Amino acid sequence: MNAAPKTLRHLSDLEEAGLTLAEKRAALERVAAQYAVAITPALAELIDRADPNDPIARQFVPDAAELETRPEERADPIGDDAHSPVEGVVHRYPDRVLLKLTHVCAVYCRFCFRREMIGPAAAPLTPKQLDSALDYIAAHPEIWEVVLTGGDPLVLSARRVKQVISRLTAIAHIKVIRVHSRVPAVEPTRITPELVRALKAKGKATYVVLHANHARELTPEARAACARLIDAGIPMLSQTVLLRGVNDEAAVLGELMRALVECRIKPYYLHHGDLAPGTAHWRTGIEDGQALMRALHGRLSGLCQPAYVLDIPGGHGKSPIGPNYLTRVGGSHGMARYDVEDFNGRRHAYPPPR
Ligand code: SF4
């Protein structure tokens, strides 16, 4: 009987699977020594070995270009540390916190914004640290939503997820629990009925936000895993990172957004690439992102429109970065006149109030 395929974690595994070449080993050893590598069997199967620009490979197979860092890149590009009152908690915005339970992921995205902090070598939250994190959340009644992130919280066992969700459920002022994960797409077999039950928080709203960057990631197995969550009453949203050579064409991005909506997943964010070290080769210009958003606007259903956002380097939070369709053309406060642009690029006057 053949053994079940395993997650590829070593360069020898990648070479054997035909994903990297032995002659590139020396440079890739340096990449792998710095940034964790993992490609699940579901993803390895998706990669087209004959396509040197395969968008799935590009996201997960290490590349020597990751060794080139730019002066503007930083180890903590979105400034988590500056807003971390206790280990595992990031409290950047008034009404919500991130709770980072683990630094492990099912796969390691080569462009990850937390790439300096995640990986199998990074220690998970200890029971004592988790107690302190939950004490902090309980002591701050302004916190309405807790975002479980990491690493990927859905690599944890159903039993552990249930424990954490139960403890959060006991905090009266927490109304929403949001889980950010790649797992439903990259390791759909982990979305078991037990895990789905563990995610359901009695009396609270649980959302799962799927990280997906290309329509091919939504395989039949991934779609079925998402359906298990949604059918159980867990709404799903998505977040996508805008990546050069992966989804920076309107047709490709549009196909992803439509595929998500067909899976009953509402596109939520399109992230501009963060200034993580060694990731310049994935970043597009902001104008490129705005042009893509314009291409989606009006041509695809409103359900398919994510918000294009930039995490301001240094920990200042996310801001929507357009495009902007409205220009003020005159008038004083309260009597301003505007030009508004339609989806064909034509401008129309919008009058002041009478
Ligand atoms: S799953 Fe998320 S945290 Fe993990 S490597 Fe990918 S982007 Fe980073």
Side-chain angles (χ1 to χ4, degrees):
M1 198 167 89
N2 289 339
K6 290 216 168 74
T7 293
L8 311 175
R9 299 182 187 279
H10 304 288
L11 291 175
S12 53
D13 299 335
L14 268 58
E15 283 165 19
E16 206 175 308
L19 296 175
T20 54
L21 297 171
E23 56 261 37
K24 297 203 171 158
R25 172 77 82 98
L28 295 183
E29 294 276 18
R30 288 168 56 214
V31 176
Q34 224 168 324
Y35 306 117
V37 174
I39 301 179
T40 54
L43 276 184
E45 211 174 293
L46 258 189
I47 294 172
D48 178 358
R49 274 62 167 176
D51 179 0
N53 301 313
D54 181 80
I56 311 299
R58 191 160 159 73
Q59 293 180 67
F60 302 103
V61 175
D63 186 314
E66 294 170 54
L67 295 169
E68 294 160 27
T69 56
R70 298 268 179 93
E72 68 274 20
E73 293 177 337
R74 18 180 125 187
D76 180 15
I78 70 166
D80 281 353
D81 287 350
H83 298 281
S84 184
V86 291
E87 192 65 35
V89 171
V90 178
H91 195 175
R92 195 185 333 261
Y93 306 99
D95 74 339
R96 55 207 185 273
V97 290
L98 307 184
L99 177 56
K100 298 196 234 176
L101 297 172
T102 176
H103 297 289
V104 171
C105 299
V107 286
Y108 291 103
C109 314
R110 309 317 306 161
F111 50 85
C112 175
F113 65 123
R114 294 204 178 105
R115 61 190 331 216
E116 296 276 351
M117 303 152 211
I118 55 155
L125 270 196
T126 64
K128 209 165 156 217
Q129 286 168 332
L130 178 61
D131 288 347
S132 304
L134 293 170
D135 286 348
Y136 177 87
I137 294 168
H140 286 78
E142 72 276 20
I143 300 173
W144 173 81
E145 179 184 28
V146 174
V147 181
L148 299 184
T149 181
D152 194 319
L154 296 190
V155 299
L156 299 173
S157 68
R159 189 179 57 81
R160 180 113 169 90
V161 169
K162 188 174 172 151
Q163 280 169 355
V164 174
I165 297 270
S166 303
R167 292 181 71 182
L168 287 170
T169 304
I171 303 174
H173 56 265
I174 299 305
K175 304 296 184 193
V176 176
I177 299 170
R178 186 180 359 145
V179 181
H180 281 217
S181 181
R182 271 263 203 196
V183 164
V186 303
E187 202 174 3
T189 51
R190 286 196 76 85
I191 309 299
T192 59
E194 196 190 358
L195 182 65
V196 173
R197 279 194 299 276
L199 282 166
K200 291 214 63 169
K202 202 156 182 257
K204 316 282 178 183
T206 307
Y207 288 78
V208 170
V209 179
L210 176 72
H211 174 175
N213 299 326
H214 194 281
R216 270 178 47 213
E217 293 164 40
L218 296 167
T219 59
E221 294 75 19
R223 290 170 189 245
C226 295
R228 287 195 283 283
L229 290 161
I230 297 166
D231 289 345
I234 299 174
M236 287 188 73
L237 306 168
S238 68
Q239 56 175 341
T240 293
V241 183
L242 179 56
L243 297 167
R244 185 181 297 282
V246 174
N247 55 24
D248 62 336
E249 287 174 25
V252 174
L253 195 61
E255 189 186 354
L256 169 63
M257 298 304 154
R258 279 190 165 167
L260 288 163
V261 172
E262 287 162 19
C263 294
R264 295 177 283 163
I265 301 171
K266 171 72 187 88
Y268 178 35
Y269 280 141
L270 174 66
H271 294 274
H272 190 74
D274 292 311
L275 297 175
T279 63
H281 55 298
W282 279 287
R283 278 194 298 279
T284 64
I286 286 179
E287 287 82 1
D288 300 329
Q290 291 174 330
L292 284 165
M293 290 299 295
R294 280 180 186 278
L296 298 188
H297 171 64
R299 291 173 176 81
L300 294 190
S301 158
L303 288 175
C304 300
Q305 312 289 329
Y308 179 38
V309 293
L310 172 73
D311 253 298
I312 303 169
H316 306 288
K318 274 181 203 62
S319 285
I321 51 171
N324 178 25
Y325 295 92
L326 192 70
T327 311
R328 186 170 158 173
V329 291
S332 55
H333 180 69
M335 293 298 284
R337 287 180 288 117
Y338 297 96
D339 258 4
V340 62
E341 187 183 329
D342 68 23
F343 70 97
N344 287 313
R346 290 185 297 245
R347 302 199 71 88
H348 308 271
Y350 185 79
R354 297 272 162 218

